[in-house]
Amino acid sequence: GAVVSQHPSWVICKSGTSVKIECRSLDFQATTMFWYRQFPKQSLMLMATSNEGSKATYEQGVEKDKFLINHASLTLSTLTVTSAHPEDSSFYICSASRGGDGYTFGSGTRLTVV
Amino acid sequence: QKEVEQNSGPLSVPEGAIASLNCTYSDRGSQSFFWYRQYSGKSPELIMFIYSNGDKEDGRFTAQLNKASQYVSLLIRDSQPSDSATYLCAVNFPGANNLFFGTGTRLTVIP
């Protein structure tokens, strides 16, 4: 149990375009999902906390207008990187919790902006 | 300030040896502690979690928690080359529902 599916696993886009990443909890309902970003050889940095039916809570320094998060249902959260630039190239990972026994991660999305 | 500290390594151990990974955290009131393994280019996968002081064993893995010292460790017995990865310590700080991660310790098991 506790499977989180993330899609796509990798994407290459042109500078200035937008990219949407989906995160689904397949066998449980996730009222809260988390979006992380990880640069090479660095740890995971929390970008935002996504709450079902309400606005996401962004960490300091993360532009909410650039990283749009939608959590429309208990099993789906999306992250849209708008007007992507090369410095947005990173590994984006979502996570969800059933509560109590840990947080399950999606498989991650490798974004490359050219 | 919420901090999770790990020795970045790299830590190298011979196959069959015990690998010991350490982590300290800043908030004495923290209750939940997690160890994740991350292979290069992959997302983290949960190894185990621990809530109570003492040891918790799961197969070749043992997590040790000392809340008084704000210290949590992971022991890997009979290390295998497939254990070579980055190990992330994560803490659920009071009042937060997300995890805070250390920078990870890179482990290499030498055949």
Side-chain angles (χ1 to χ4, degrees):
Chain A
V3 178
V4 175
S5 173
Q6 187 172 343
H7 177 80
S9 55
W10 60 271
V11 58
I12 301 173
C13 71
K14 291 184 177 180
S15 185
T17 61
S18 296
V19 173
K20 179 184 282 188
I21 302 169
E22 292 189 350
C23 181
R24 295 180 183 272
S25 56
L26 297 184
D27 52 359
F28 66 101
Q29 294 183 330
T31 54
T32 303
M33 291 185 177
F34 306 94
W35 287 95
Y36 292 85
R37 179 168 53 183
Q38 186 177 36
F39 292 106
K41 298 188 178 182
Q42 295 187 23
S43 192
L44 282 75
M45 296 302 297
L46 180 67
M47 298 176 65
T49 301
S50 168
N51 301 296
E52 187 266 337
S54 64
K55 292 183 178 180
T57 302
Y58 290 82
E59 295 300 300
Q60 189 174 9
V62 178
E63 300 174 59
K64 62 180 181 180
D65 294 330
K66 180 171 184 61
F67 299 99
L68 301 179
I69 291 174
N70 183 279
H71 194 155
S73 76
L74 287 170
T75 59
L76 174 63
S77 177
T78 61
L79 167 67
T80 301
V81 183
T82 63
S83 186
H85 292 284
E87 57 266 30
D88 298 323
S89 298
S90 187
F91 191 46
Y92 292 86
I93 314 172
C94 70
S95 171
S97 173
R98 295 183 298 178
D101 60 352
Y103 298 68
T104 303
F105 285 87
S107 55
T109 298
R110 176 76 57 193
L111 171 64
T112 302
V113 184
V114 297
Chain B
Q1 189 170 358
K2 299 178 175 65
E3 292 184 343
V4 180
E5 301 281 348
Q6 290 182 259
N7 187 327
S8 62
L11 172 67
S12 295
V13 300
E15 184 175 355
I18 296 175
S20 178
L21 305 162
N22 304 315
C23 174
T24 59
Y25 56 94
S26 60
D27 194 324
R28 184 178 292 273
S30 302
Q31 298 294 323
S32 308
F33 309 88
F34 304 84
W35 281 101
Y36 285 86
R37 175 175 61 196
Q38 186 176 26
Y39 292 109
S40 180
K42 303 294 184 182
S43 69
E45 52 182 337
L46 180 67
I47 297 174
M48 61 192 308
F49 56 90
I50 186 168
Y51 300 148
S52 303
N53 273 330
D55 294 0
K56 179 181 179 182
E57 187 174 319
D58 184 359
R60 296 188 294 113
F61 299 96
T62 299
Q64 299 175 318
L65 175 61
N66 184 325
K67 290 184 179 180
S69 300
Q70 296 172 230
Y71 175 92
V72 57
S73 65
L74 180 70
L75 301 178
I76 307 174
R77 289 182 299 281
D78 188 22
S79 296
Q80 301 297 310
S82 58
D83 295 327
S84 298
T86 296
Y87 289 80
L88 300 168
C89 172
V91 179
N92 187 205
F93 287 110
N97 62 355
N98 62 286
L99 294 180
F100 288 81
F101 286 86
T103 53
T105 298
R106 185 174 175 186
L107 172 67
T108 300
V109 180
I110 304 168

